[in-house]
Amino acid sequence: MKSTAESLVQQVNECRNRAGQLTAGLSPEELSRRPEATKWSIAECLAHLNLAAGAIQPKVARAIEQGRKDKITGNGPFSPGPLGRLLIWLAEPPPKFRMRAPKGIAPAVSHADPSHVIADFMKAQDAWEQLISDCEGLDQNKLRVGSLFPGLPRLRLAAPIPWMLAHQRRHLWQAENVKQQITGQSPASKV
C-alpha cells in the first residue's frame, strides 16, 4: 500500500467533495442534531476531524521541516510501514469496531453555529494538501513523525497523511449515515 502525492491529493479532494455534498442545504439545527443521544451529529463528526487535523498537522510539518534541514531526500512512492498500514486499515470505513476518541480530539457536545465547523474542515483540507506538497522530494520512509498520540510510537512520514485521510473517510461515512437517519435520505453507500 504505497501512496503517491497525486493519489493523496485526489483523496483530499474526494473528502472535500463529500463534506460539501453532505452539508449542502442543511440547517444549523440539522447539522447539530444527533440521531441518538449517544451518537455524534454531523457537526461533531466534522469537529472531530478538525481537532485531529489540528493535532497531527503540526507534527507532520515539524518532520518535514527537519527533513528539509537535514536534507533527507528520496523519491516515492513510499510505504507507511507495518504500523501505518494497520492504522490505515483500522481507520477505513466501515468501522471494524468502535473506538473512543482520545480526550484531546473528542468534539464538543453542541455547536451554537456549526457552519464554522464546515469552513474549518475545508481549511484543514487545504493544509493536508500543502503538507502533501511539502513532502515532495523527502525520503518519507526514513523521516519519522513524533508520537502522534500517547502510547503510539513514532511513525514514518509516509504514514500519518494516508492514515488521517482514511480517518476522514470513516467519519464522513459516519456523518453520511447520520444525515440519512435525521433526514430520511437514502443511506451512504460510498466509503
Side-chain angles (χ1 to χ4, degrees), residues 149-182:
F149 295 107
L152 186 66
R154 294 167 23 116
L155 295 173
R156 296 175 182 188
L157 180 57
I161 295 173
W163 173 33
M164 288 295 103
L165 293 175
H167 180 247
Q168 288 190 157
R169 287 189 292 276
R170 175 188 185 120
H171 289 291
L172 288 169
W173 178 85
Q174 176 186 6
E176 289 162 348
N177 283 297
V178 169
K179 182 177 181 178
Q180 184 270 325
Q181 291 172 6
I182 66 169

Side-chain angles (χ1 to χ4, degrees), residues 12-92:
V12 169
N13 287 327
E14 288 169 2
C15 288
R16 267 193 197 103
N17 292 337
R18 282 178 73 179
Q21 291 171 3
L22 168 70
T23 59
L26 293 180
S27 69
E29 188 278 325
E30 289 170 317
L31 290 168
S32 297
R33 186 184 315 155
R34 289 178 163 192
E36 298 174 25
T38 60
K39 305 284 184 190
W40 286 352
S41 67
I42 294 168
E44 287 171 312
C45 291
L46 294 175
H48 169 68
L49 294 174
N50 294 342
L51 291 167
I56 304 295
Q57 288 173 343
K59 294 178 182 189
V60 172
R62 281 193 291 278
I64 292 168
E65 183 180 325
Q66 190 64 47
R68 294 260 177 249
K69 179 181 169 191
D70 296 343
K71 297 179 175 50
I72 302 175
T73 61
N75 296 313
F78 299 101
S79 169
L83 179 57
R85 283 191 298 275
L86 174 64
L87 293 170
I88 293 164
W89 178 81
L90 286 171
E92 285 290 353

